[in-house]
Amino acid sequence: GLLSSATDQSVKNDKRIRVVALFDNEEIGSRSAYGADSNLLGEALRRISIALNGNASEETIGLGMRNTFLISADMAHAVHPNYPSKHESNHAPEFHKGPVIKYNANQRYATTAATA
């Protein structure tokens, strides 16, 4: 995993920056002051680029983004026993039965059935 890969030697020799971004308040919208749609992560990456490179040009930031590995993970609610009719019978999330691919018509999720 990520933490076990971060040995003193591997971090010392790695020229990449390892960043973990965890966002809260997604249930009320990514557009909160510190949600995933805020400028928090972008601003943090820009400041890191300035500190390490002396600049934060679009080219530098763009190169960093193209070399990024992203995992977007979110919680999914299992079927509520009092409201089973709210789910399709063949598509009902269950506890401990594997990942759930969520879809939103407004494309608010990073993962779709095609990209999962």
Side-chain angles (χ1 to χ4, degrees), residues 86-104:
K86 297 291 184 182
H87 294 272
E88 294 182 35
S89 59
N90 291 332
H91 304 290
E94 298 179 43
F95 288 118
H96 310 294
K97 298 288 184 171
V100 175
I101 297 174
K102 298 177 6 177
Y103 175 79
N104 180 284

Side-chain angles (χ1 to χ4, degrees), residues 21-112:
L22 306 171
F23 296 98
D24 196 3
N25 296 342
E26 295 308 293
E27 66 279 357
I28 62 168
S30 296
R31 294 183 180 177
S32 65
Y34 36 84
D37 198 26
S38 70
N39 70 344
L40 178 71
L41 181 58
E43 183 62 18
L45 295 175
R46 186 183 74 78
R47 290 178 184 200
I48 290 169
S49 180
I50 290 171
L52 296 176
N53 302 314
N55 72 65
S57 69
E58 290 295 321
E59 183 178 342
T60 302
I61 297 294
L63 179 61
M65 291 300 192
R66 287 188 296 277
N67 289 314
T68 297
F69 178 75
L70 170 70
I71 296 174
S72 177
D74 196 359
M75 301 294 285
H77 298 281
V79 175
H80 192 291
N82 294 336
Y83 304 100
S85 63
K86 297 291 184 182
H87 294 272
E88 294 182 35
S89 59
N90 291 332
H91 304 290
E94 298 179 43
F95 288 118
H96 310 294
K97 298 288 184 171
V100 175
I101 297 174
K102 298 177 6 177
Y103 175 79
N104 180 284
N106 294 321
Q107 299 183 352
R108 301 302 301 162
Y109 299 133
T111 305
T112 65

